[in-house]
């Protein structure tokens, strides 16, 4: 008698469908600078450029980028000397990432898998570097299971580097101006991890399409979670990862609160680069950088 296969968790099914829809839209969007990556072998993503002074030495490093999406950060790390592997839940994202790698002439290996299954999907290989970049942790129901997956991909002495949205930013909602009431931010969502996800039903994505038309997203439902900064750090500590650096930033490489933010560099008029609050930028952290070592 054969047992029925275990059903896939709902969050994986709905989030994969959404990211499969987003992948071709993002690949064509000016935000991701596809044509510039192909035309300029020295071009790096805005995220990697921001963190370049904080990254460990990359020349000759074997690295894996978990939740790599289109691979723009992955290719950027490879251009800085690392031998990179990228892993993502979305087959459509990985398809686009492989295409970018080919068109750039920058070799990167890509694997389709959920981050919690990374060790098995990578055949038990361990790496010098695990890299995690913007907008990754919010899709995970358990930061402890994520930390276990990270540690399993690192050999002793390997480093983990994370730059992501600060959980304080994730807990805020922008409220537009209404009559005499000015625009403001309010704490509207959980700061710490919850059992149940935040469920969203939205047909848009976070980048403008190439032609300005609404994105063709049919899988509109997503599930996401916030994770407190302490929870994230402690989860890594409990998996034998020593904390080497923790930095909170007043900026983030997109505009989460339209009408209440401004580019850090006024020359970034095309939406690229870092954004901070127009008023009160010293009151809340919007992103963070974490560097640790597997002991």
């Amino acid at each position: 008698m054969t047992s029925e296969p275990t059903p896939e968790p709902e969050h994986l099914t709905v989030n994969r469908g959404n990211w499969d829809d987003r992948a071709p839209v993002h690949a064509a969007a000016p935000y991701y600078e596809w044509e510039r990556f192909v035309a300029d072998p020295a071009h790096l993503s805005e995220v990697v450029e921001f963190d370049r002074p904080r990254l460990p030495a990359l020349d000759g490093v074997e690295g894996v980028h978990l939740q790599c999406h289109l691979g723009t950060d992955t290719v950027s790390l490879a251009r800085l000397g690392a031998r990179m592997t990228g892993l993502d839940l979305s087959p459509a994202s990985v398809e686009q990432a492989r295409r970018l790698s080919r068109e750039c002439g920058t070799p990167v290996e890509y694997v389709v898998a959920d981050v919690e299954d990374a060790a098995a999907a990578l055949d038990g290989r361990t790496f010098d570097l695990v890299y995690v970049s913007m907008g990754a942790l919010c899709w995970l129901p358990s930061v402890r299971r994520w930390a276990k997956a990270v540690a399993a991909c690192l050999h002793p002495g390997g480093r983990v580097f994370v730059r992501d949205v600060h959980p304080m930013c994730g807990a805020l909602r922008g409220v537009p101006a209404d009559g005499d009431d000015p625009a403001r931010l309010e704490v509207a969502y959980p700061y710490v991890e919850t059992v149940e996800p935040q469920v969203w039903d939205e047909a848009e994505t976070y980048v403008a399409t190439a032609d300005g038309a609404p994105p063709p997203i049919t899988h509109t439902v997503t599930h996401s979670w916030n994770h407190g900064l302490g929870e994230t750090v402690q989860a890594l500590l409990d998996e034998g990862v020593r904390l080497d650096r923790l930095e909170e930033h007043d900026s983030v490489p997109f505009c989460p609160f339209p009408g209440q933010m401004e580019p850090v560099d006024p020359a970034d008029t095309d939406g690229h680069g870092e954004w901070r609050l127009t008023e009160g930028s010293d009151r809340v952290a919007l992103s963070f950088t974490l560097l640790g070592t597997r002991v």
Side-chain angles (χ1 to χ4, degrees), residues 11 36 70 159 181 295:
H11 76 276
R36 188 173 178 189
L70 302 184
R159 316 293 295 277
D181 293 331
V295 295

Side-chain angles (χ1 to χ4, degrees), residues 9-278:
E10 183 182 7
H11 76 276
L12 293 182
T13 303
V14 298
N15 288 345
R16 183 189 298 110
N18 182 262
W19 283 99
D20 280 350
D21 285 352
R22 291 192 200 196
V25 176
H26 289 185
Y31 179 88
Y32 279 98
E33 302 184 301
W34 190 287
E35 293 181 359
R36 188 173 178 189
F37 267 99
V38 175
D40 181 0
H43 180 62
L44 304 177
S45 69
E46 295 280 359
V47 174
V48 171
E49 192 67 69
F50 178 90
D51 279 315
R52 194 170 180 179
R54 302 168 180 84
L55 285 163
L58 293 175
D59 194 36
V61 163
E62 293 278 356
V64 61
H65 180 186
L66 301 181
Q67 298 169 269
C68 65
H69 191 34
L70 302 184
T72 51
D73 294 345
T74 329
V75 164
S76 298
L77 296 173
R79 287 179 166 179
L80 292 176
R83 295 187 294 273
M84 292 300 300
T85 297
L87 179 143
D88 198 89
L89 170 72
S90 161
S93 292
V94 169
E95 178 184 355
Q96 296 293 342
R98 287 172 175 153
R99 182 167 70 92
L100 179 66
S101 174
R102 289 194 304 270
E103 292 183 9
C104 288
T106 305
V108 176
E109 176 187 353
Y110 286 102
V111 177
V112 178
D114 175 38
V115 65
E116 291 187 14
D117 300 326
L122 296 166
D123 297 323
R125 293 161 56 198
T126 56
F127 297 83
D128 303 307
L129 174 72
V130 168
Y131 178 82
V132 180
S133 58
M134 296 300 303
L137 298 182
C138 68
W139 302 104
L140 307 176
S142 169
V143 75
R144 288 194 166 274
R145 294 202 298 269
W146 167 82
K148 189 177 292 293
V150 167
C153 290
L154 288 171
H155 58 63
R159 316 293 295 277
V160 54
F161 186 94
V162 180
R163 173 137 191 259
D164 210 338
V165 177
H166 197 286
M168 191 64 243
C169 181
L172 295 175
R173 175 173 61 194
V175 180
D178 182 15
D180 294 332
D181 293 331
R184 66 187 190 278
L185 300 178
E186 63 180 20
V187 180
Y189 310 113
Y191 175 87
V192 297
E193 184 179 299
T194 56
V195 174
E196 296 299 322
Q198 296 287 314
V199 179
W200 309 93
D201 191 348
E202 301 171 326
E204 62 269 6
T205 182
Y206 54 84
V207 299
T209 56
D211 59 4
I217 294 176
T218 59
H219 297 85
T220 58
V221 175
T222 57
H223 291 185
S224 65
W225 291 261
N226 214 5
H227 310 282
L229 190 58
E231 293 176 311
T232 302
V233 170
Q234 191 62 50
L236 289 168
L237 292 173
D238 289 347
E239 294 299 329
V241 175
R242 182 188 71 221
L243 183 64
D244 299 322
R245 181 188 190 111
L246 180 61
E247 185 176 355
E248 297 171 294
H249 310 287
D250 68 355
S251 67
V252 68
F254 60 97
C255 181
F257 310 115
Q260 300 187 59
M261 304 193 76
E262 62 185 6
V264 173
D265 182 350
D268 288 328
T269 56
D270 57 0
H272 291 92
E274 296 286 311
W275 290 73
R276 64 161 64 104
L277 292 172
T278 305

